[in-house]
Amino acid sequence: MGPHARIDADITVRRALELPALRRGLPEVLAGEDRLGRSVRWVHAGEVPHIASLLKGGELLLTTGLGVGTRPSEQRAFIRRLADRDIAALVVELGSRFDALPAALIDAARDCGLPLVQLHREVPYVTVTEEIHTEIINGHYTLLRRADALLRRCTDVLLRGGGAPEVLRLLAVFTGNPLCLEAPDGSPLYAAGPEGGDGGADADPLLAWEGLRDSGVRIEVPGGGHGPDAVRARLVLLPVNGPPAPVHRIAAERAADLLAVVMLQSRQEEVLAARGRGDFLAELAEGRVSASEAPAQARLLGFRPGADPVLPVVMRLPAALPSPGDWALLAQALREELAAPGVPVLLGVRPVEGRVPLLVALRAGQDRAALADRIAEALRAGVVRAGLDRPSAHSPVVVVGTAGDWAAAGSGLRHAAEAAAAAQGLPEAPWYDARRLDIELLLWRMREHGEEGVLTDFVERAVGPLLAHDRGARQPLLPTLEAYLASAGRKAETARDLNVNRQTLYDRLARISQLLGTELDDPQTVLGLRLALRARRHTDR
């Protein structure tokens, strides 16, 4: 928290009047009854006419009235000066100066909206001061303790491998309002909302940011430098469900310091922006963003395809990247590589699922396959550029969906994402057409829905004897069957692919036919064998 930060008090004038010290004075509110919710910053006692010049605002002023003046004009001026100082309330103890407060004093307080209270019994001012100050300090301590508890939770998340998005989501839940992390130029890096949204504005933090960013509370995330580098980002607390409370500002300021360290360590600006776009694409795919809302949100994220169709593409990495820094490098490399094709692209990252979803504008007259080639090439080049093409890992899987309007974009992304999961393990290709992976997708969905046993039984019935033979054979026969099916039963082509003579191929095919008890030129048999070999990738066989 900055050195000039002010912790607002939680105690109000109403609460102060309920404390024992003031309650024993039999307080009577004469003016400003509707202003008793004012916060009391401090308590001050004084009897001089110029007391207002000694105050800073927010004080509860205790007096016996010796300094208010004797003439009505002096009394009205006394009240006006206190109101101009924006004190919380004026409390006058009767007996020493007044038996009842003058009408001029009461009328002026009512005109200025200043809470005016008279005490019918004498009270020790020191006791009043101690009680109210103790209440204020306890309130401050409670605020700080709640902010510290959130900071500990954020630190725990980071120690467990989380990043800035998880910190922002915790802060959004804590405040009960959406928030946005802005880059220094004012563009959104990441937006988060409180959990359990009912579909209102707080369910769309990015749209809430667009509408309320000017009225939001801004907290600077320090950059550790000077001049333009002094601010690395800004947290904007958005007043959707209510204005941010003092404890929310305290928590945000402390979280901002934590975010500064995280962002400096792992170049989080790029990955935050990419994760924000990835969250939008995921929500679009899951139907949580409607086709009517999607274009506006996409424009906020810098994607403006105009009237052109959008082409869904998903790249799935072979394994989750080990650190947020890897995702930051990948996001930056992909963004730079995708600038080369010269078409609007909205790219996000989904670290949990290990995939990169994107939407690409398909210009009128542009060939889908040619564009897919360029996008896939750029994606793979980005992986290499980020240094993530590790020798022990499989190549990334790129799946291209069907171009359509915004109404079809969500289902297209979902289909491409599932097809990318199903395509893992297929023979390597620059990219796969989602429309040609339906059989793989069907088999993958069966496994994902607990039907792996059904697939295993099917594989065992279809090719089990062949698999059993190959486990102890010097010359496995499964590669021969796979090559034969891949060439659509063309034996000359199969022999050439296997680099064997025809007689050897005929002998192997005869042996396969004998083991399986079927004829390899029967169309139904061929179809079953093709399915079985595809299903085998989704089983332990």
Side-chain angles (χ1 to χ4, degrees):
M1 187 162 52
H4 304 295
R6 169 181 164 181
I7 304 175
D8 295 326
D10 279 340
I11 185 173
T12 63
V13 175
R14 182 178 290 104
R15 172 60 182 157
L17 295 177
E18 293 171 351
L19 294 176
L22 280 178
R23 197 169 64 242
R24 283 194 291 269
L26 303 179
E28 179 185 0
V29 179
L30 301 179
E33 293 89 343
D34 58 338
R35 303 291 182 90
L36 298 183
R38 282 182 168 183
S39 292
V40 176
R41 186 182 63 83
W42 209 242
V43 180
H44 193 83
E47 302 292 350
V48 295
H50 63 279
I51 188 68
S53 64
L54 305 178
L55 304 178
K56 294 182 178 180
E59 295 91 348
L60 186 144
L61 177 61
L62 301 171
T63 182
T64 61
L66 295 177
V68 303
T70 57
R71 294 192 298 272
S73 60
E74 294 173 338
Q75 294 166 358
R76 285 191 290 269
F78 182 82
I79 291 293
R80 284 195 298 270
R81 288 194 294 269
L82 292 179
D84 289 342
R85 283 290 181 178
D86 197 27
I87 71 168
L90 174 63
V91 178
V92 182
E93 182 184 86
L94 301 178
S96 298
R97 173 71 173 80
F98 298 112
D99 292 327
L101 292 187
L105 209 65
I106 298 172
D107 291 343
R110 288 173 177 168
D111 291 342
C112 294
L114 175 66
L116 175 63
V117 181
Q118 64 181 7
L119 300 179
H120 292 276
R121 290 170 55 182
E122 181 179 317
V123 297
Y125 281 2
V126 65
T127 304
V128 174
T129 301
E130 285 179 349
E131 282 193 0
I132 295 179
H133 287 178
T134 299
E135 192 84 1
I136 292 172
I137 291 169
N138 288 342
H140 290 178
Y141 177 71
T142 300
L143 293 183
L144 293 173
R145 189 168 56 184
R146 290 179 61 195
D148 283 343
L150 176 69
L151 192 65
R152 285 194 297 272
R153 291 179 62 195
C154 293
T155 303
D156 289 343
V157 164
L158 294 176
L159 291 175
R160 291 196 301 270
E166 288 75 18
V167 171
L168 293 170
R169 281 194 286 271
L170 283 175
L171 186 58
V173 172
F174 182 75
T175 63
N177 274 318
L179 55 85
C180 184
L181 188 68
E182 291 181 345
D185 63 2
S187 61
L189 290 174
Y190 195 89
E195 295 175 352
D198 57 2
D202 60 345
D204 296 313
L206 197 60
L207 293 180
W209 169 79
E210 183 186 28
L212 297 173
R213 55 183 164 179
D214 292 336
S215 59
V217 174
R218 278 179 163 75
I219 309 294
E220 291 186 349
V221 178
H226 302 283
D229 297 325
V231 177
R232 195 168 190 86
R234 291 182 181 86
L235 265 175
V236 185
L237 309 184
L238 301 166
V240 172
N241 299 316
V247 67
H248 300 154
R249 292 195 289 273
I250 297 171
E253 288 172 339
R254 296 192 169 189
D257 292 337
L258 192 62
L259 286 170
V261 176
V262 174
M263 295 172 74
L264 283 169
Q265 286 180 336
S266 57
R267 299 170 61 188
Q268 284 273 315
E269 297 99 326
E270 184 65 42
V271 76
L272 275 171
R275 286 184 70 161
R277 296 188 293 268
D279 287 353
F280 163 70
L281 293 172
E283 290 177 356
L284 180 64
E286 293 163 9
R288 295 201 297 269
V289 176
S290 68
S292 60
E293 298 170 331
Q297 294 198 42
R299 282 195 298 273
L300 287 175
L301 296 171
F303 182 57
R304 298 174 177 84
D308 294 322
V310 290
L311 182 68
V313 180
V314 171
M315 178 174 69
R316 187 177 181 89
L317 300 169
L321 300 184
S323 72
D326 280 343
W327 281 103
L329 286 171
L330 178 63
Q332 182 176 4
L334 292 176
R335 179 174 58 81
E336 292 172 358
E337 290 292 337
L338 286 167
V343 294
V345 176
L346 178 62
L347 176 140
V349 297
R350 296 288 292 171
V352 175
E353 297 93 344
R355 67 173 185 255
V356 177
L358 56 151
L359 290 175
V360 185
L362 184 63
R363 298 301 193 195
Q366 193 170 27
D367 181 68
R368 171 180 174 271
L371 178 61
D373 284 338
R374 293 162 63 193
I375 295 298
E377 181 181 358
L379 290 173
R380 293 176 182 276
V383 172
V384 173
R385 182 172 177 173
L388 303 175
D389 56 330
R390 300 178 176 113
S392 59
H394 297 292
S395 296
V397 172
V398 178
V399 172
V400 179
T402 304
D405 58 13
W406 282 106
S411 59
L413 279 169
R414 185 170 61 253
H415 183 207
E418 291 182 339
Q424 293 183 103
L426 285 177
E428 188 171 336
W431 59 276
Y432 302 92
D433 191 332
R435 298 173 299 188
R436 303 187 63 182
L437 292 174
D438 284 343
I439 292 177
E440 298 294 338
L441 185 54
L442 175 63
L443 297 170
W444 176 81
R445 283 175 175 165
M446 289 181 67
R447 186 191 69 184
E448 291 296 301
H449 288 82
E451 299 294 335
E452 186 173 352
V454 175
L455 294 176
T456 300
D457 291 343
F458 170 57
V459 172
E460 181 63 31
R461 287 194 304 272
V463 294
L466 183 61
L467 298 177
H469 168 274
D470 282 5
R471 280 195 288 270
R474 295 176 58 186
Q475 179 60 59
L477 295 174
L478 184 60
T480 299
L481 178 60
E482 290 174 335
Y484 178 73
L485 296 175
S487 67
R490 292 185 288 270
K491 295 177 181 177
E493 183 178 330
T494 304
R496 187 166 56 252
D497 291 342
L498 294 173
N499 196 25
V500 298
N501 60 51
R502 289 197 181 189
Q503 187 57 50
T504 299
L505 175 64
Y506 296 157
D507 292 342
R508 291 182 185 178
L509 293 177
R511 181 61 174 150
I512 292 171
S513 181
Q514 180 185 10
L515 286 169
L516 299 181
T518 187
E519 296 296 330
L520 295 182
D521 54 1
D522 177 62
Q524 292 298 321
T525 297
V526 170
L527 175 60
L529 291 173
R530 284 178 177 274
L531 285 175
L533 293 182
R534 289 189 176 189
R536 182 169 174 261
R537 292 194 311 105
H538 302 282
T539 69
D540 295 330
R541 292 292 294 159

mmCIF file with all atom_site columns, all heavy atoms in Angstrom, residues 306-319:
data_model
loop_
_atom_site.group_PDB
_atom_site.id
_atom_site.type_symbol
_atom_site.label_atom_id
_atom_site.label_alt_id
_atom_site.label_comp_id
_atom_site.label_asym_id
_atom_site.label_entity_id
_atom_site.label_seq_id
_atom_site.pdbx_PDB_ins_code
_atom_site.Cartn_x
_atom_site.Cartn_y
_atom_site.Cartn_z
_atom_site.occupancy
_atom_site.B_iso_or_equiv
_atom_site.pdbx_formal_charge
_atom_site.auth_seq_id
_atom_site.auth_comp_id
_atom_site.auth_asym_id
_atom_site.auth_atom_id
_atom_site.pdbx_PDB_model_num
ATOM 1  N N   . GLY A 1 306 ? -15.120 -7.968  -39.462 1.00 0.00 ? 306 GLY A N   1
ATOM 2  C CA  . GLY A 1 306 ? -16.131 -7.364  -40.328 1.00 0.00 ? 306 GLY A CA  1
ATOM 3  C C   . GLY A 1 306 ? -17.215 -8.359  -40.664 1.00 0.00 ? 306 GLY A C   1
ATOM 4  O O   . GLY A 1 306 ? -17.668 -9.128  -39.809 1.00 0.00 ? 306 GLY A O   1
ATOM 5  N N   . ALA A 1 307 ? -17.625 -8.371  -41.934 1.00 0.00 ? 307 ALA A N   1
ATOM 6  C CA  . ALA A 1 307 ? -18.689 -9.287  -42.362 1.00 0.00 ? 307 ALA A CA  1
ATOM 7  C C   . ALA A 1 307 ? -18.139 -10.633 -42.826 1.00 0.00 ? 307 ALA A C   1
ATOM 8  O O   . ALA A 1 307 ? -18.905 -11.498 -43.248 1.00 0.00 ? 307 ALA A O   1
ATOM 9  C CB  . ALA A 1 307 ? -19.494 -8.647  -43.487 1.00 0.00 ? 307 ALA A CB  1
ATOM 10 N N   . ASP A 1 308 ? -16.825 -10.826 -42.763 1.00 0.00 ? 308 ASP A N   1
ATOM 11 C CA  . ASP A 1 308 ? -16.230 -12.072 -43.237 1.00 0.00 ? 308 ASP A CA  1
ATOM 12 C C   . ASP A 1 308 ? -16.549 -13.224 -42.289 1.00 0.00 ? 308 ASP A C   1
ATOM 13 O O   . ASP A 1 308 ? -16.687 -13.024 -41.079 1.00 0.00 ? 308 ASP A O   1
ATOM 14 C CB  . ASP A 1 308 ? -14.708 -11.925 -43.350 1.00 0.00 ? 308 ASP A CB  1
ATOM 15 C CG  . ASP A 1 308 ? -14.301 -10.933 -44.426 1.00 0.00 ? 308 ASP A CG  1
ATOM 16 O OD1 . ASP A 1 308 ? -14.960 -10.918 -45.474 1.00 0.00 ? 308 ASP A OD1 1
ATOM 17 O OD2 . ASP A 1 308 ? -13.340 -10.181 -44.208 1.00 0.00 ? 308 ASP A OD2 1
ATOM 18 N N   . PRO A 1 309 ? -16.620 -14.450 -42.810 1.00 0.00 ? 309 PRO A N   1
ATOM 19 C CA  . PRO A 1 309 ? -16.782 -15.623 -41.938 1.00 0.00 ? 309 PRO A CA  1
ATOM 20 C C   . PRO A 1 309 ? -15.550 -15.780 -41.045 1.00 0.00 ? 309 PRO A C   1
ATOM 21 O O   . PRO A 1 309 ? -14.463 -15.300 -41.363 1.00 0.00 ? 309 PRO A O   1
ATOM 22 C CB  . PRO A 1 309 ? -16.910 -16.798 -42.914 1.00 0.00 ? 309 PRO A CB  1
ATOM 23 C CG  . PRO A 1 309 ? -17.173 -16.185 -44.246 1.00 0.00 ? 309 PRO A CG  1
ATOM 24 C CD  . PRO A 1 309 ? -16.574 -14.823 -44.232 1.00 0.00 ? 309 PRO A CD  1
ATOM 25 N N   . VAL A 1 310 ? -15.744 -16.458 -39.914 1.00 0.00 ? 310 VAL A N   1
ATOM 26 C CA  . VAL A 1 310 ? -14.619 -16.728 -39.020 1.00 0.00 ? 310 VAL A CA  1
ATOM 27 C C   . VAL A 1 310 ? -14.315 -18.218 -39.061 1.00 0.00 ? 310 VAL A C   1
ATOM 28 O O   . VAL A 1 310 ? -15.216 -19.058 -39.074 1.00 0.00 ? 310 VAL A O   1
ATOM 29 C CB  . VAL A 1 310 ? -14.912 -16.260 -37.582 1.00 0.00 ? 310 VAL A CB  1
ATOM 30 C CG1 . VAL A 1 310 ? -14.938 -14.751 -37.514 1.00 0.00 ? 310 VAL A CG1 1
ATOM 31 C CG2 . VAL A 1 310 ? -16.214 -16.832 -37.056 1.00 0.00 ? 310 VAL A CG2 1
ATOM 32 N N   . LEU A 1 311 ? -13.031 -18.531 -39.091 1.00 0.00 ? 311 LEU A N   1
ATOM 33 C CA  . LEU A 1 311 ? -12.559 -19.905 -39.198 1.00 0.00 ? 311 LEU A CA  1
ATOM 34 C C   . LEU A 1 311 ? -11.999 -20.330 -37.848 1.00 0.00 ? 311 LEU A C   1
ATOM 35 O O   . LEU A 1 311 ? -11.004 -19.776 -37.385 1.00 0.00 ? 311 LEU A O   1
ATOM 36 C CB  . LEU A 1 311 ? -11.474 -20.000 -40.274 1.00 0.00 ? 311 LEU A CB  1
ATOM 37 C CG  . LEU A 1 311 ? -10.892 -21.384 -40.557 1.00 0.00 ? 311 LEU A CG  1
ATOM 38 C CD1 . LEU A 1 311 ? -11.950 -22.287 -41.207 1.00 0.00 ? 311 LEU A CD1 1
ATOM 39 C CD2 . LEU A 1 311 ? -9.663  -21.272 -41.464 1.00 0.00 ? 311 LEU A CD2 1
ATOM 40 N N   . PRO A 1 312 ? -12.611 -21.317 -37.179 1.00 0.00 ? 312 PRO A N   1
ATOM 41 C CA  . PRO A 1 312 ? -12.082 -21.777 -35.893 1.00 0.00 ? 312 PRO A CA  1
ATOM 42 C C   . PRO A 1 312 ? -10.894 -22.713 -36.091 1.00 0.00 ? 312 PRO A C   1
ATOM 43 O O   . PRO A 1 312 ? -10.911 -23.589 -36.947 1.00 0.00 ? 312 PRO A O   1
ATOM 44 C CB  . PRO A 1 312 ? -13.262 -22.517 -35.263 1.00 0.00 ? 312 PRO A CB  1
ATOM 45 C CG  . PRO A 1 312 ? -14.108 -22.944 -36.405 1.00 0.00 ? 312 PRO A CG  1
ATOM 46 C CD  . PRO A 1 312 ? -13.896 -21.970 -37.517 1.00 0.00 ? 312 PRO A CD  1
ATOM 47 N N   . VAL A 1 313 ? -9.856  -22.501 -35.296 1.00 0.00 ? 313 VAL A N   1
ATOM 48 C CA  . VAL A 1 313 ? -8.653  -23.331 -35.338 1.00 0.00 ? 313 VAL A CA  1
ATOM 49 C C   . VAL A 1 313 ? -8.231  -23.608 -33.900 1.00 0.00 ? 313 VAL A C   1
ATOM 50 O O   . VAL A 1 313 ? -8.330  -22.720 -33.037 1.00 0.00 ? 313 VAL A O   1
ATOM 51 C CB  . VAL A 1 313 ? -7.498  -22.630 -36.087 1.00 0.00 ? 313 VAL A CB  1
ATOM 52 C CG1 . VAL A 1 313 ? -6.246  -23.515 -36.122 1.00 0.00 ? 313 VAL A CG1 1
ATOM 53 C CG2 . VAL A 1 313 ? -7.923  -22.251 -37.510 1.00 0.00 ? 313 VAL A CG2 1
ATOM 54 N N   . VAL A 1 314 ? -7.771  -24.829 -33.639 1.00 0.00 ? 314 VAL A N   1
ATOM 55 C CA  . VAL A 1 314 ? -7.275  -25.180 -32.310 1.00 0.00 ? 314 VAL A CA  1
ATOM 56 C C   . VAL A 1 314 ? -5.950  -25.919 -32.463 1.00 0.00 ? 314 VAL A C   1
ATOM 57 O O   . VAL A 1 314 ? -5.856  -26.875 -33.241 1.00 0.00 ? 314 VAL A O   1
ATOM 58 C CB  . VAL A 1 314 ? -8.274  -26.049 -31.527 1.00 0.00 ? 314 VAL A CB  1
ATOM 59 C CG1 . VAL A 1 314 ? -7.631  -26.568 -30.234 1.00 0.00 ? 314 VAL A CG1 1
ATOM 60 C CG2 . VAL A 1 314 ? -9.537  -25.271 -31.204 1.00 0.00 ? 314 VAL A CG2 1
ATOM 61 N N   . MET A 1 315 ? -4.934  -25.450 -31.744 1.00 0.00 ? 315 MET A N   1
ATOM 62 C CA  . MET A 1 315 ? -3.672  -26.184 -31.658 1.00 0.00 ? 315 MET A CA  1
ATOM 63 C C   . MET A 1 315 ? -3.576  -26.797 -30.268 1.00 0.00 ? 315 MET A C   1
ATOM 64 O O   . MET A 1 315 ? -3.721  -26.088 -29.263 1.00 0.00 ? 315 MET A O   1
ATOM 65 C CB  . MET A 1 315 ? -2.471  -25.276 -31.903 1.00 0.00 ? 315 MET A CB  1
ATOM 66 C CG  . MET A 1 315 ? -1.129  -26.019 -31.771 1.00 0.00 ? 315 MET A CG  1
ATOM 67 S SD  . MET A 1 315 ? 0.329   -25.033 -32.232 1.00 0.00 ? 315 MET A SD  1
ATOM 68 C CE  . MET A 1 315 ? 0.375   -23.841 -30.896 1.00 0.00 ? 315 MET A CE  1
ATOM 69 N N   . ARG A 1 316 ? -3.344  -28.095 -30.228 1.00 0.00 ? 316 ARG A N   1
ATOM 70 C CA  . ARG A 1 316 ? -3.192  -28.781 -28.953 1.00 0.00 ? 316 ARG A CA  1
ATOM 71 C C   . ARG A 1 316 ? -1.738  -29.202 -28.796 1.00 0.00 ? 316 ARG A C   1
ATOM 72 O O   . ARG A 1 316 ? -1.166  -29.843 -29.668 1.00 0.00 ? 316 ARG A O   1
ATOM 73 C CB  . ARG A 1 316 ? -4.107  -30.003 -28.879 1.00 0.00 ? 316 ARG A CB  1
ATOM 74 C CG  . ARG A 1 316 ? -4.120  -30.651 -27.495 1.00 0.00 ? 316 ARG A CG  1
ATOM 75 C CD  . ARG A 1 316 ? -5.102  -31.808 -27.446 1.00 0.00 ? 316 ARG A CD  1
ATOM 76 N NE  . ARG A 1 316 ? -5.144  -32.405 -26.132 1.00 0.00 ? 316 ARG A NE  1
ATOM 77 C CZ  . ARG A 1 316 ? -5.942  -32.026 -25.153 1.00 0.00 ? 316 ARG A CZ  1
ATOM 78 N NH1 . ARG A 1 316 ? -6.802  -31.050 -25.360 1.00 0.00 ? 316 ARG A NH1 1
ATOM 79 N NH2 . ARG A 1 316 ? -5.918  -32.622 -23.972 1.00 0.00 ? 316 ARG A NH2 1
ATOM 80 N N   . LEU A 1 317 ? -1.157  -28.823 -27.661 1.00 0.00 ? 317 LEU A N   1
ATOM 81 C CA  . LEU A 1 317 ? 0.232   -29.183 -27.397 1.00 0.00 ? 317 LEU A CA  1
ATOM 82 C C   . LEU A 1 317 ? 0.284   -30.591 -26.810 1.00 0.00 ? 317 LEU A C   1
ATOM 83 O O   . LEU A 1 317 ? -0.653  -31.029 -26.131 1.00 0.00 ? 317 LEU A O   1
ATOM 84 C CB  . LEU A 1 317 ? 0.846   -28.177 -26.438 1.00 0.00 ? 317 LEU A CB  1
ATOM 85 C CG  . LEU A 1 317 ? 0.851   -26.737 -26.980 1.00 0.00 ? 317 LEU A CG  1
ATOM 86 C CD1 . LEU A 1 317 ? 1.223   -25.764 -25.893 1.00 0.00 ? 317 LEU A CD1 1
ATOM 87 C CD2 . LEU A 1 317 ? 1.817   -26.623 -28.135 1.00 0.00 ? 317 LEU A CD2 1
ATOM 88 N N   . PRO A 1 318 ? 1.374   -31.310 -27.038 1.00 0.00 ? 318 PRO A N   1
ATOM 89 C CA  . PRO A 1 318 ? 1.428   -32.706 -26.595 1.00 0.00 ? 318 PRO A CA  1
ATOM 90 C C   . PRO A 1 318 ? 1.404   -32.862 -25.086 1.00 0.00 ? 318 PRO A C   1
ATOM 91 O O   . PRO A 1 318 ? 0.997   -33.888 -24.575 1.00 0.00 ? 318 PRO A O   1
ATOM 92 C CB  . PRO A 1 318 ? 2.746   -33.220 -27.185 1.00 0.00 ? 318 PRO A CB  1
ATOM 93 C CG  . PRO A 1 318 ? 3.556   -31.986 -27.451 1.00 0.00 ? 318 PRO A CG  1
ATOM 94 C CD  . PRO A 1 318 ? 2.572   -30.919 -27.795 1.00 0.00 ? 318 PRO A CD  1
ATOM 95 N N   . ALA A 1 319 ? 1.850   -31.868 -24.346 1.00 0.00 ? 319 ALA A N   1
ATOM 96 C CA  . ALA A 1 319 ? 1.822   -31.918 -22.877 1.00 0.00 ? 319 ALA A CA  1
ATOM 97 C C   . ALA A 1 319 ? 1.751   -30.500 -22.361 1.00 0.00 ? 319 ALA A C   1
ATOM 98 O O   . ALA A 1 319 ? 2.165   -29.551 -23.030 1.00 0.00 ? 319 ALA A O   1
ATOM 99 C CB  . ALA A 1 319 ? 3.071   -32.624 -22.340 1.00 0.00 ? 319 ALA A CB  1
#
